[in-house]
Amino acid sequence: MSALTTRIPRRLVEHATPSVRWSLQHAIPRRALVRVASQGDPQGVLSTETTGLLPEELAPILARIRGGGAIVTGKLSTLTGEHDAVKEVLTSNDFRTGLPGDTSRAVRGALTWAASTTIGPLEPPSLLATDGPTHTRNRKLVTRVFTARAVEALRERTEQVATELLDDLEADARAGHDVDLVARYCEQLPVTVIAEILGVPESEYETVLRLGGHAGSSLDLGLDWATFRRTESALDEFDAWLETHLAAKRAQPGDGLFSALIQAQDDGVGLSDQELKSVAGLVLAAGFETTVNLLGNAIRLIVDHPEQLAALRSGKASWLNAVEETLRFDPPVLLTARTATCDTRVADVDVAAGTLVVTVLAAANRDPKIFDDPDAFDVHRENAREHLAFSSGRHFCLGAALSRMESEVALRVFFDRFDVELLPGSTRRPTRILRGYATLPARLAARA
Ligand code: HEM
């Protein structure tokens, strides 16, 4: 989930004042992005003009990127939105995560006073920002917790959590109160499930939700000053929270993944404290922020297509396929990126070593070469699962099985229980790479 050539790793500017950091990381790139966006540059448009867009408003922008061919050379970056080419880049050994060597070397040279304290999701040793043996080793530590079998074992507990949340919603519905489905359901379910997996106590859920909500912007480029400050302090607070929490787990181990990671470290696997924090933090943050968006996006789309809801309720269409189709149609992650490690070719086009290729997952998901009538939402679509919403290759989402299971359960029990009227006033999140609803006001009626 990386961003752009101009992005400067936070640890390189850690000891600069906040305003210098903001200028280097956001204000200057933003000026360039706005300038090229006004000339129709696809990266500029994606980075500055997509805030809060509904999927139908985003679709023409994605179509323009695909219309530029398999590889589109923009003014600031190279992009691809064709399904085959996106997949080729994500699975190729000629690409790695992170920034182009030249850019980061130059920046590094200029900013050598910096040293790392807090770590973001896009900086090493985050799984998202490492490759090779370090990535393989750290990923393996987490993988076993998220195997299909391990996830199936959580299905019953997930349904129980969902049912408890729905009981509360039903009490509101009976009292004639409207509710915000994001705050009361879409957020609560994934945070509870991931927190239980990791061994986070219930008293901490609200803190985690608040910090996760603000930290989501750390994936975006070109933040305004207020958002930048909020995001930085959320990352700092999250970092401190993780440190305290991991220390508590070290003193008193439990069953959760956090304890397992500490155990792995103690067994001499070689995880540094920084790696431990980064792996644990990423799993926690990625473990709900994205699924929250998936649930909100799915509820909206299903309510807007009543005939498809009827097919789902009657068993003529499957809830799991509705999840896949939502991931295809309105994916929670807009794009990611890779850097070419050598001169290579993608879709028969030359790509020079050091080129950052932005892989627009949402555009690949609407590629008419793969999906018939791609701009139609259709829970019956047979190949919906070919979407790239979870990426592909070595960094394929570790939480895909968990997220699929949670969303399938969450949607089924929700729509079994209620007739839903979505009220005016829903809002989308202000983040650009992570896409979903911030609020979904609704009036619920318990079904017979
Ligand atoms: C709808 C829900 C989700 C979506 C759309 C999503 C999307 C993604 C994407 C696109 C990537 C890869 C980025 C890249 O290739 O650069 C990724 C990686 C990752 N995801 Fe998810 N994710 C979701 C849910 C989850 C959940 C529930 C968890 C944790 C339990 C999770 C944990 C991770 C981790 C740890 C990685 C890094 C894997 C690596 O770099 O090796 N995700 N996710």
Side-chain angles (χ1 to χ4, degrees):
M1 291 180 236
S2 183
L4 242 197
T5 18
T6 38
R7 184 166 199 128
I8 297 166
R10 181 162 181 225
R11 77 204 129 83
L12 294 181
V13 286
E14 194 75 47
H15 295 318
T17 62
S19 60
V20 170
R21 276 203 299 278
W22 173 68
S23 298
L24 288 171
Q25 293 180 303
H26 294 284
I28 295 169
R30 183 171 173 80
R31 268 204 294 280
L33 287 163
V34 168
R35 183 172 42 78
V36 298
S38 70
Q39 298 157 7
D41 179 79
Q43 181 67 59
V45 172
L46 276 183
S47 301
T48 63
E49 295 179 7
T50 56
T51 311
L53 290 190
L54 292 168
E56 56 273 25
E57 295 164 333
L58 182 68
I61 296 173
L62 303 178
R64 269 207 303 282
I65 295 172
R66 276 193 317 271
I71 293 289
V72 180
T73 309
K75 291 180 195 302
L76 299 174
S77 66
T78 298
L79 299 93
T80 173
E82 278 198 3
H83 190 281
D84 288 352
V86 168
K87 202 164 173 177
E88 195 178 331
V89 171
L90 293 173
T91 52
S92 165
N93 286 329
D94 292 346
F95 286 86
R96 64 166 171 79
T97 59
L99 295 159
D102 289 348
T103 312
S104 47
R105 247 202 320 276
V107 170
R108 261 181 206 118
L111 299 164
T112 44
W113 79 85
S116 167
T117 52
T118 305
I119 25 148
L122 298 181
E123 291 164 39
S126 163
L127 284 174
L128 284 169
T130 48
D131 276 310
T134 307
H135 175 256
T136 311
R137 180 196 59 173
N138 292 352
R139 187 172 161 111
K140 220 160 105 194
L141 285 174
V142 190
T143 314
R144 61 199 154 97
V145 181
F146 295 106
T147 58
R149 186 151 16 124
V151 164
E152 266 318 297
L154 294 166
R155 185 177 282 271
E156 214 174 299
R157 176 65 189 134
T158 304
E159 189 153 342
Q160 204 179 2
V161 173
T163 304
E164 283 163 19
L165 293 169
L166 295 180
D167 289 344
D168 287 349
L169 288 180
E170 188 167 333
D172 274 297
R174 292 201 185 279
H177 298 150
D178 298 335
V179 292
D180 172 16
L181 292 177
V182 173
R184 297 286 302 281
Y185 191 57
C186 305
E187 285 184 346
Q188 299 299 329
L189 182 67
V191 81
T192 306
V193 173
I194 195 69
E196 285 191 6
I197 292 173
L198 296 173
V200 174
E202 199 172 337
S203 55
E204 305 287 311
Y205 292 1
E206 281 309 314
T207 308
V208 168
L209 265 176
R210 179 175 55 80
L211 296 178
H214 289 318
S217 301
S218 67
L219 301 177
D220 289 334
L221 189 66
L223 299 180
D224 62 51
W225 170 246
T227 312
F228 168 76
R229 291 297 284 156
R230 227 182 7 253
T231 310
E232 270 212 348
S233 70
L235 281 178
D236 287 343
E237 214 186 308
F238 189 46
D239 197 72
W241 179 86
L242 265 177
E243 211 156 285
T244 314
H245 187 69
L246 287 167
K249 285 277 153 197
R250 197 185 285 283
Q252 231 177 356
D255 294 335
L257 176 66
F258 276 158
S259 296
L261 287 173
I262 292 167
Q263 179 71 40
Q265 187 184 38
D266 292 345
D267 286 350
V269 172
L271 272 188
S272 67
D273 282 353
Q274 197 71 312
E275 283 176 321
L276 178 65
K277 227 173 13 167
S278 172
V279 171
L282 177 66
V283 171
L284 179 55
F288 67 89
E289 199 46 19
T290 44
T291 308
V292 175
N293 289 345
L294 171 57
L295 286 178
N297 297 353
I299 290 176
R300 166 102 253 172
L301 286 165
I302 291 170
V303 171
D304 283 353
H305 294 82
E307 70 302 341
Q308 299 194 34
L309 173 57
L312 288 161
R313 279 180 171 153
S314 69
K316 292 198 179 92
S318 86
W319 287 106
L320 181 56
N321 212 50
V323 170
E324 302 298 347
E325 178 65 351
T326 304
L327 284 162
R328 184 192 74 80
F329 191 87
D330 191 8
V333 180
L334 174 67
L335 54 82
T336 183
R338 297 290 187 267
T339 300
T341 52
C342 55
D343 290 343
T344 183
R345 285 172 75 75
V346 174
D348 293 328
V349 179
D350 287 329
V351 175
T355 306
L356 184 85
V357 180
V358 177
T359 44
V360 190
L361 307 173
N365 288 355
R366 301 285 188 110
D367 188 339
K369 288 209 281 294
I370 306 294
F371 302 105
D372 292 340
D373 196 6
D375 293 330
F377 176 76
D378 180 6
V379 297
H380 302 281
R381 187 183 293 280
E382 281 177 8
N383 69 342
R385 203 178 160 102
E386 286 182 50
H387 64 74
L388 295 175
F390 290 124
S391 187
S392 193
R394 292 183 298 282
H395 293 272
F396 180 79
C397 176
L398 263 173
L402 177 67
S403 188
R404 283 179 162 130
M405 182 278 287
E406 274 182 66
S407 310
E408 184 192 1
V409 168
L411 294 174
R412 178 174 47 76
V413 296
F414 174 71
F415 282 106
D416 274 356
R417 185 91 167 249
F418 296 115
D419 284 321
V420 186
E421 181 193 351
L422 291 180
L423 304 172
S426 66
T427 49
R428 296 280 291 196
R429 291 185 191 277
T431 45
R432 287 181 289 274
I433 291 188
L434 297 183
R435 291 181 36 82
Y437 287 91
T439 57
L440 268 181
R443 186 160 301 155
L444 304 177
R447 301 179 75 217

